[in-house]
Amino acid sequence: MRIVVILGRMLDPRGIVVNPRAGRIFVNREEYILQPADRCALEAALRIKEAVGAEVVALPRTFLPDDDVLRQALAIGADRAIYIAGKPVALPDDGLMARVLLAAVERLGEVDLILTGATTMDTGQGQLGPRLAEALGWPQIVGAWTAEVADGSVRAVRQDGGGYVWVEASLPAVVTFVPGALKLRYPDGRRLINIYKGVGEIAAALERWEAKDLVAPEALTPLLERRGQDFPPERERGVRLSGSPEEIARAAADALRSRLPR
Amino acid sequence: MDASFLDLLMAQQEEVTEAEGGGGIWVVADVVDGAVAPVTLEAIGAARNLAGALGAYVYAVLLGDGVSDLAATLYQAGADGVRVADHPALASFAVEPYMEVLVNLFQAEGPEVILFGATPQGQELAPRVAQRLGGGLIEHATAMTLDEATRTVQAAVPIYGGEYFEIVACPQARPQILTVEPGAFPAPFMDPYRKGEPKSVEVTPVEPRVRLLGPADNFTPPPVPLAQAPVIVAAGRQAGGFRLVEQLATALGGQVAGDRGARDAGWIRPEQIIDVRGVTVAPKVYVAVGIRGDTFHNAALENSRFILAIHPDPTAPIFRVADLCVEADPQEVLPALLQAMGA
């Protein structure tokens, strides 16, 4: 059984400051972390591997300037990682990447399961998993909390209204995970050192494919285009509520309700 | 002129007619508990604004079982045409049967723009429709403008949950598909005089490929660490008690925390202290109940998206970082607040 995990990276939000008045984003510390939802997908793949045995192959979610994401995936436990070299675009373009990854999955062959994050934490993109499922003609389970494989099908827990339900799809399938779905494991120290030093078996597990070998040049045109940035209005702090306790409570409740996450 | 004459006049003017020959802005309706979801109406309102500038018509697609009556709501919100796929096979949402209907419809009609709600249903369908039709998909649009020269929709999408917005367009690929963030667009004026005749769509039942096995009763999601909690209700020395704080946290679906005063009172565990020497948080909503707010505490929560502070002392430093300040005794305000929240 072969499981493909698609991983991306994001700029650590703790290292950036957004200044709406200046209309600028200040990057104080340029540090990239794995997309939390994609990390959960990798964790799920490793759990399936431990339960039923599988080869876990890591692929990148976007064209990256370096292969750091894939090295981390190998250190955490992936068996193979393939760096797909292409021209990085300003905006993650899942429509474009779906074409490239479709070709990569077809070249890999015998893929039973594709796992990835249900959403990216920075840009909020969740289209890669469903797009790949559509391109491959596979079923999709979107927003899984946990998944297991048995008897040629994948079962997953998904949120449904207020509760959780088990759903099942026959393999091959695409499953996407919500961020924070699983307790993550730490990278293995020795693997981490070896993969960055480029020594041992693990160094050979990192391959490099060229995007232009996978798809025709015209398929590498991005679908989306960045047209600028916008900033939310500046916060007005220290607004005091006045009136009777009931009026204050009503105003505060309205303010809370409009800002609660959906 | 009496009101009934006015009614008659308006009713005559507002009989909606459809255009011939494809194009248009299409909104795929979300049906929740037998009613049209607010996000669908907001999307129709947003589509109307675009349609004016594009010279296009707005269409809505309604899928489900026994949903034909909801077409009237869509007309009232501003749709010029409604297509209804009413079939028992569409009773509950599943990707394959819904895709079958939508793809056949869109291939026949050739829409220019398709809008979905950024709901679980919309987020599963929109990428698949985009992939099948070869269109571009912009997710979580919170504002839309039009590049009229190229008839391209430009949408603002939130980055890091709304810290800032990227303005994105889909210049070449057609159709342009967008998911619309719930609550981002104003609800449209519901015009009771707008009405039309919905057209029904042929439904070929398709077996869903994801089977529902049943409720996962023994499943509990892993706990969210305090540092990543989206809603936090924190207590301080002046809270006067912890019971109401816990009730408010439950009502808001959040976690409880506190400052060192709450720890001294024995209300919270040491790992729940919000302080630069303890946990630094950045929730969407932070409620400080009776917290005076020293430098260490305020620095640990300043990245919160919205801060409500309740404290009896008008000079409390927490009021300098809070968005909304309530100068009152928490024990008096909290019961009223809980009641206003409907808890």
Side-chain angles (χ1 to χ4, degrees):
Chain A
M1 178 162 165
R2 184 172 281 164
I3 304 174
V4 164
V5 181
I6 299 164
L7 295 148
R9 67 170 196 182
M10 64 187 263
L11 198 55
D12 190 339
R14 285 169 296 189
I16 67 163
V17 174
V18 177
N19 187 331
R21 193 191 295 173
R24 273 190 64 185
I25 300 146
F26 295 92
V27 181
N28 298 333
R29 182 161 49 87
E30 190 177 2
E31 194 173 302
Y32 290 92
I33 55 172
L34 288 180
Q35 289 281 356
D38 295 347
R39 272 280 325 248
C40 288
L42 177 60
E43 177 63 36
L46 296 175
R47 288 185 188 188
I48 292 169
K49 176 187 164 185
E50 282 156 9
V52 296
E55 184 195 37
V56 177
V57 185
L59 294 178
R61 176 182 270 280
T62 50
F63 293 138
L64 297 166
D66 57 50
D67 51 14
D68 202 52
V69 165
L70 300 160
R71 284 178 198 267
Q72 285 183 48
L74 285 170
I76 293 166
D79 300 296
R80 233 175 120 186
I82 298 159
Y83 174 69
I84 301 178
K87 192 172 150 235
V89 285
L91 191 82
D93 197 318
D94 288 355
L96 161 64
M97 283 315 287
R99 295 177 193 148
V100 176
L101 290 167
L102 171 70
V105 167
E106 278 169 355
R107 188 197 268 196
L108 268 173
E110 292 168 17
V111 174
D112 299 294
L113 196 55
I114 297 179
L115 307 182
T116 187
T119 174
T120 58
M121 287 291 265
D122 47 356
T123 52
Q125 298 277 306
Q127 40 178 314
L128 188 60
R131 269 187 184 270
L132 272 174
E134 180 62 36
L136 290 157
W138 293 1
Q140 70 188 28
I141 298 175
V142 169
W145 284 83
T146 179
E148 52 194 49
V149 168
D151 310 325
S153 53
V154 56
R155 299 172 67 213
V157 170
R158 191 172 67 181
Q159 200 156 10
D160 183 39
Y164 297 88
V165 290
W166 278 103
V167 291
E168 184 187 54
S170 303
L171 295 177
V174 175
V175 183
T176 68
F177 287 82
V178 294
L182 298 164
K183 192 169 186 314
L184 305 173
R185 66 188 71 193
Y186 285 103
D188 180 292
R190 195 173 45 186
R191 287 172 73 96
L192 192 64
I193 292 168
N194 283 351
I195 187 64
Y196 277 99
K197 274 187 167 173
V199 296
E201 269 175 33
I202 195 172
L206 181 60
E207 295 162 52
R208 182 192 168 97
W209 290 359
E210 298 290 333
K212 59 181 193 294
D213 300 339
L214 288 170
V215 290
E218 58 270 20
L220 287 172
T221 341
L223 276 83
L224 302 182
E225 188 181 275
R226 213 169 141 249
R227 295 263 170 109
Q229 279 176 342
D230 197 8
F231 292 86
E234 220 180 328
R235 264 164 85 162
E236 197 188 342
R237 298 203 192 230
V239 176
R240 309 239 167 178
L241 290 177
S242 57
S244 70
E246 284 71 32
E247 283 167 11
I248 289 177
R250 215 172 304 121
D254 287 344
L256 283 177
R257 227 178 270 122
S258 67
R259 281 158 174 105
L260 282 178
R262 278 158 222 282
Chain B
M1 197 189 301
D2 61 9
S4 61
F5 179 74
L6 197 64
D7 275 9
L8 200 66
L9 193 69
M10 290 187 69
Q12 277 172 352
Q13 284 179 348
E14 291 290 329
E15 194 65 42
V16 175
T17 51
E18 285 188 31
E20 295 291 322
I25 303 174
W26 289 70
V27 179
V28 180
D30 264 272
V31 178
V32 179
D33 299 331
V36 177
V39 63
T40 299
L41 303 179
E42 292 158 17
I44 291 175
R48 272 252 67 91
N49 285 341
L50 291 179
L54 272 177
Y57 284 79
V58 176
Y59 300 93
V61 191
L62 196 54
L63 301 101
D65 183 21
V67 290
S68 302
D69 296 344
L70 301 177
T73 319
L74 301 174
Y75 276 112
Q76 286 174 11
D80 298 309
V82 177
R83 300 287 185 278
V84 182
D86 200 335
H87 194 279
L90 303 174
S92 61
F93 168 67
V95 172
E96 287 78 15
Y98 275 55
M99 274 291 287
E100 179 73 19
V101 174
L102 289 176
V103 167
N104 287 339
L105 181 66
F106 291 149
Q107 276 170 348
E109 301 278 357
E112 197 168 4
V113 180
I114 306 172
L115 303 180
F116 289 84
T119 56
Q121 172 186 324
Q123 284 173 298
E124 278 207 54
L125 281 174
R128 288 197 85 127
V129 169
Q131 185 68 22
R132 183 83 69 91
L133 302 180
L137 171 61
I138 301 170
E139 291 180 273
H140 302 283
T142 56
M144 289 194 276
T145 55
L146 196 66
D147 178 357
E148 285 170 35
T150 54
R151 298 176 75 85
T152 306
V153 179
Q154 302 178 139
V157 295
I159 308 294
Y160 293 115
E163 287 282 319
Y164 64 99
F165 300 87
E166 290 280 10
I167 297 167
V168 185
C170 172
Q172 253 104 48
R174 293 289 180 273
Q176 309 169 66
I177 304 174
L178 298 101
T179 65
V180 173
E181 191 66 8
F185 293 89
F189 169 67
M190 301 297 283
D191 184 349
Y193 295 107
R194 275 185 69 98
K195 38 179 91 80
E197 201 49 52
K199 286 184 190 166
S200 70
V201 178
E202 195 119 332
V203 180
T204 353
V206 180
E207 200 56 36
R209 291 169 72 189
V210 176
R211 299 172 289 278
L212 187 68
L213 298 178
D217 293 327
N218 50 3
F219 175 78
T220 39
V224 182
L226 190 57
Q228 288 159 26
V231 179
I232 294 173
V233 183
R237 277 183 214 282
Q238 296 295 323
F242 202 53
R243 198 175 51 83
L244 290 172
V245 174
E246 283 178 312
Q247 281 179 14
L248 184 62
T250 312
L252 300 178
Q255 298 197 15
V256 289
D259 68 353
R260 271 171 205 280
R263 172 66 195 141
D264 293 344
W267 295 332
I268 56 166
R269 298 188 303 277
E271 61 269 24
Q272 290 175 305
I273 299 174
I274 300 202
D275 192 300
V276 285
R277 300 158 294 187
V279 187
T280 306
V281 297
K284 291 205 162 44
V285 172
Y286 185 90
V287 184
V289 181
I291 293 180
R292 192 172 164 76
D294 58 25
T295 312
F296 291 110
H297 178 264
N298 288 359
L301 63 85
E302 64 183 0
N303 287 330
S304 307
R305 191 63 57 76
F306 176 76
I307 302 164
L308 169 68
I310 306 170
H311 198 278
D313 178 4
T315 62
I318 189 80
F319 288 153
R320 286 206 291 271
V321 295
D323 296 81
L324 213 52
C325 311
V326 178
E327 293 166 24
D329 182 2
Q331 290 298 319
E332 285 168 18
V333 173
L334 283 183
L337 182 57
L338 280 165
Q339 201 181 3
M341 291 299 298

